[in-house]
């Protein structure tokens, strides 16, 4: 039994390269194309994740400004700039400055202000949407693309076995390892994409709800301020 040990050791030293780069270089051209495609998809996903995380961080700060402006007794002065809070407050105060029409009830006036703010809010939050479908698609499709590369690689391995008439593990192992490496890359691309997509979607939904709630409060404060101004002018005219 000990006589075969040198041969096994020599086979391990001079066997096929089982490193990640070696598995890629030894793979079939179809499997290589699958690996390259999945690696590019993973890079694009991470670029989208970083960009959307930074964007949502800015939107979160803008929503906090909008919430602060919605507090009772706070004058909703639109801040300078083109951020979400500035756009939303500017849309609301523009409707407020237009004034309440004679046949318009206070509820209708508040609804008009709120509608203008909702429209501005939706326009700003739609900036988060580009790129999210790619994350969802990558998370759903990447494992199957990797599985296709695995199936193709295993088919090539069995074809090599049939041609060489050798079923030893040394002949089968490299081809199977290359094939399984494609599946691993597919999972590496899919798992972060799915997790990031769900996280970004939930965070966007929470920010949307906070901003909508603050917009309703701002519209209510503005309509109440308008009603107070009307009563003040009426009292002054009566005197």
């Amino acid at each position: 039994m000990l006589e075969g040990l040198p041969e096994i050791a020599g086979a391990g030293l001079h066997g096929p390269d089982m490193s990640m780069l070696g598995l890629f270089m030894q793979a079939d051209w179809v499997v290589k194309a699958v690996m390259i495609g999945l690696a590019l998809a993973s890079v694009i996903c991470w670029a989208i994740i970083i960009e959307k995380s930074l964007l949502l961080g800015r939107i979160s700060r803008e929503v906090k400004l909008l919430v602060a402006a919605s507090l009772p007794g706070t004058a909703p002065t639109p801040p300078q700039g083109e951020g979400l809070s500035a756009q939303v407050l500017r849309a609301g105060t523009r409707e407020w400055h237009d004034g309440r029409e004679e046949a318009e009830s206070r509820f209708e006036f508040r609804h008009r202000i709120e509608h203008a703010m909702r429209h501005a809010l939706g326009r700003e939050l739609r900036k988060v949407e580009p790129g999210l479908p790619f994350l969802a698609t990558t998370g759903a499709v990447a494992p199957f693309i990797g599985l296709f590369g695995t199936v193709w690689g295993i088919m090539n391995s069995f074809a090599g076995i049939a041609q060489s008439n050798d079923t030893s593990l040394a002949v089968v192992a490299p081809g199977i390892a290359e094939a399984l490496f494609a599946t691993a890359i597919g999972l590496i691309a899919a798992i972060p994409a799915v997790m990031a997509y769900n996280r970004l979607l939930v965070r966007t939904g929470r920010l949307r709800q906070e901003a909508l709630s603050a917009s309703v409060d701002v519209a209510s404060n503005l309509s109440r301020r308008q009603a107070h101004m009307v009563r003040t002018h009426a009292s002054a005219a009566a005197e």
Side-chain angles (χ1 to χ4, degrees):
M1 293 179 64
L2 296 177
E3 294 177 356
L5 289 178
E7 297 180 2
I8 296 175
L13 290 173
H14 303 287
D17 186 2
M18 301 297 287
S19 65
M20 290 188 292
L21 180 60
L23 292 175
F24 172 78
M25 297 304 296
Q26 298 166 19
D28 180 75
W29 67 271
V30 175
V31 181
K32 282 183 179 178
V34 169
M35 291 180 181
I36 293 173
L38 291 174
L40 289 176
S42 180
V43 171
I44 295 172
C45 285
W46 277 108
I48 294 173
I49 292 169
I50 294 172
E51 190 266 334
K52 297 304 176 186
S53 298
L54 295 176
L55 177 59
L56 286 177
R58 291 195 299 269
I59 291 177
S60 179
R61 291 190 291 270
E62 293 290 334
V63 170
K64 289 180 181 178
L65 294 176
L66 186 59
V67 171
S70 69
L71 298 177
T74 304
T77 304
Q80 298 297 324
E82 297 298 325
L84 181 143
S85 60
Q87 295 282 352
V88 173
L89 291 175
R90 204 150 37 226
T93 52
R94 188 184 303 117
E95 292 293 328
W96 179 69
H97 285 304
D98 288 344
R100 177 175 161 185
E101 299 177 0
E102 294 182 1
E104 190 177 36
S105 65
R106 179 186 167 188
F107 172 78
E108 291 172 338
F109 180 55
R110 185 183 67 184
H111 179 73
R112 177 156 58 88
I113 297 174
E114 183 181 337
H115 177 74
M117 298 177 71
R118 283 174 178 267
H119 180 72
L121 176 63
R123 184 176 63 248
E124 292 299 310
L125 288 180
R126 277 194 292 271
K127 296 178 181 178
V128 183
E129 295 177 359
L132 294 183
F134 186 84
L135 292 180
T137 302
T138 301
V141 174
F144 296 101
I145 296 177
L147 184 60
F148 167 75
T150 297
V151 172
W152 187 275
I154 292 176
M155 287 171 57
N156 287 338
S157 296
F158 282 117
I161 293 173
Q163 291 176 1
S164 62
N165 293 322
D166 189 354
T167 58
S168 66
L169 187 61
V171 174
V172 179
I176 294 179
E178 296 162 9
L180 294 177
F181 187 46
T183 298
I185 296 178
L187 294 176
I188 290 172
I191 293 173
V194 171
M195 295 178 65
Y197 174 77
N198 292 331
R199 173 62 179 168
L200 293 173
L201 209 61
V202 170
R203 191 178 179 189
T204 303
R206 288 177 179 173
L207 291 175
R208 185 188 301 274
Q209 291 301 319
E210 291 180 13
L212 287 175
S213 178
S215 299
V216 171
D217 293 338
V218 171
S220 179
N221 293 339
L222 288 173
S223 63
R224 193 180 298 114
R225 185 185 296 268
Q226 180 73 16
H228 177 71
M229 291 174 60
V230 170
R231 287 195 299 267
T232 301
H233 290 311
S235 299
E239 293 176 358

